[in-house]
Amino acid sequence: MSLSKVCDTKGVRFTQESIDAIDRINNRVDLANQLTGLLAFSPVVEIFGSKKSFSNYSRDIYEYHWEEFGDAMGSINPILKNRVWEEATYAAMSTTGGEREFWECVMEVSR
């Protein structure tokens, strides 16, 4: 969901500093999505990356560290949320009026 749908932007005139902050947030979201995709593909490469017998594939699938994999996948979103919160906090400290209200809303959403 877009931040503008959650945090009202109607009538808000964003300064260049806020526009730059929004760009940085969008870049971090894109990077987090790319990292998630790469991380999700890593078991496939590790398990099927070399020629083995079917029984070895089965064993590797069974013995794969799935819990650690799940923990790694689950850690991406909290890190992203914290980075968004940090960006919004800095932006809120340097803005006023509706622009500041927007950033305070982003801070709340990202906590």
Side-chain angles (χ1 to χ4, degrees), residues 36-102:
T36 300
L38 289 172
L39 187 59
F41 192 64
S42 66
V44 174
V45 171
E46 192 169 334
I47 293 169
F48 300 106
S50 61
K51 290 188 175 199
K52 304 174 193 173
S53 67
F54 178 77
S55 62
N56 285 340
Y57 285 130
S58 297
R59 185 195 56 190
D60 287 353
I61 291 169
Y62 177 77
E63 293 177 353
Y64 191 77
H65 302 283
W66 293 109
E67 188 172 325
E68 291 174 13
F69 173 72
D71 290 344
M73 289 291 286
S75 68
I76 295 171
N77 191 37
I79 292 169
L80 174 61
K81 285 178 70 173
N82 187 56
R83 296 291 184 235
V84 170
W85 181 85
E86 289 175 349
E87 196 71 54
T89 301
Y90 293 128
M93 289 189 298
S94 62
T95 57
T96 60
E99 191 175 16
R100 182 183 186 118
E101 289 175 17
F102 168 79

Side-chain angles (χ1 to χ4, degrees), residues 2-10 101-102 104-106 109:
S2 170
L3 285 177
S4 62
K5 292 182 181 177
V6 176
C7 301
D8 186 23
T9 59
K10 188 175 184 178
E101 289 175 17
F102 168 79
E104 288 172 347
C105 177
V106 173
V109 171

